[in-house]
Amino acid sequence: LTVRKRLTVIDLFAGCGGLSLGLYQAGWKGLFAIEKNAFAFETLKYNLIDGKKHFSWPDWLPQTAHDINEVINNYPQQLSNLRGKVDLVAGGPPCQGFSMAGKRVKDDIRNQLVFSYIKFIKLVQPKMILFENVKGFTYAFNKKNREGVEPYSQIVIKALEGLGYNVKPHVIDFSDYGVPQRRKRFILVGIQSSLGSPDNFEY
């Protein structure tokens, strides 16, 4: 009897755990999740940590709400020790600063969490990455003034390629997959260059 190894995942900006729940249902095994909002994390903990035992939570990380920058600054060695042990890092930074439905503020401090995501990837070096954000993530700020012409999506793509990943971006309409609204999202998948190409991924 061959026992199939369960693929491992870390969920960043996890919210209440919607993405983690989907990965759990698909057979993945969570290592841990990072979510700053205490109420959202309590929901995730109740359903997925205490309830479904989805995570093999490490002893060095308290099971509580965390800011991603605090985790990066406080546990750099523990994160580096995960290299070669993590199949996927999934998640997307808060999108309010990029959303076309909101004020779309270039200087929204939450926009900087994109760079925290990249720092996390650099430390952990997962085999695969899944990045998600709003469609507005692909549009540059202040294009008329020629300031910040390069959209954040291109900044992320270049940074991940620089870390040794083959990446493939998509804008996907979630209504094509059963969501009862027209909801277009920016989805980027990537895989370490030594392991292959994301062209083989199906959508």
Side-chain angles (χ1 to χ4, degrees):
L1 178 65
T2 301
V3 179
R4 183 181 178 185
K5 175 183 175 290
R6 295 182 69 185
L7 298 174
T8 56
V9 59
I10 296 171
D11 189 358
L12 303 182
F13 312 102
C16 296
L19 182 56
S20 280
L21 176 60
L23 290 164
Y24 165 81
Q25 292 174 334
W28 291 71
K29 181 63 178 177
L31 295 179
F32 59 88
I34 296 178
E35 169 54 44
K36 181 178 181 179
N37 184 280
F39 294 108
F41 184 82
E42 281 303 309
T43 300
L44 181 149
K45 186 175 187 297
Y46 179 84
N47 289 311
L48 290 167
I49 299 175
D50 301 333
K52 297 186 179 299
K53 312 296 182 185
H54 172 51
F55 295 95
S56 297
W57 207 275
D59 294 334
W60 52 265
L61 185 65
Q63 289 186 10
T64 187
H66 291 285
D67 180 283
I68 187 172
N69 290 314
E70 293 176 357
V71 175
I72 290 171
N73 293 331
N74 295 336
Y75 306 103
Q77 189 58 55
Q78 290 90 336
L79 293 173
S80 296
N81 290 342
L82 292 172
R83 293 177 182 177
K85 302 175 184 177
V86 181
D87 293 304
L88 175 70
V89 168
C95 59
Q96 291 90 339
F98 305 110
S99 177
M100 306 304 289
K103 294 181 179 179
R104 189 167 167 78
V105 179
K106 178 183 178 182
D107 296 325
D108 191 318
I109 192 171
R110 291 168 294 191
N111 296 355
Q112 299 306 307
L113 291 172
V114 169
F115 302 104
S116 303
Y117 173 92
I118 293 168
K119 288 179 182 177
F120 191 95
I121 297 297
K122 185 176 181 179
L123 281 170
V124 175
Q125 296 180 17
K127 296 174 184 175
M128 296 175 286
I129 50 178
L130 170 62
F131 181 96
E132 177 266 342
N133 216 289
V134 292
K135 183 182 178 182
F137 193 73
T138 64
Y139 299 141
F141 287 98
N142 301 327
K143 194 169 183 179
K144 292 181 180 179
N145 298 327
R146 307 303 297 172
E147 297 176 8
V149 173
E150 188 173 41
Y152 271 69
S153 57
Q154 289 302 312
I155 295 172
V156 170
I157 289 169
K158 289 179 180 178
L160 293 174
E161 288 177 341
L163 294 177
Y165 288 89
N166 288 327
V167 298
K168 190 171 185 179
H170 295 267
V171 173
I172 295 177
D173 190 337
F174 279 18
S175 67
D176 294 336
Y177 298 88
V179 175
Q181 58 179 278
R182 293 192 63 81
R183 187 175 178 85
K184 292 186 177 181
R185 306 289 284 190
F186 172 77
I187 302 292
L188 182 148
V189 294
I191 187 169
Q192 287 183 352
S193 300
S194 60
L195 299 178
S197 169
D199 290 334
N200 297 325
F201 292 179
E202 294 183 2
Y203 301 91

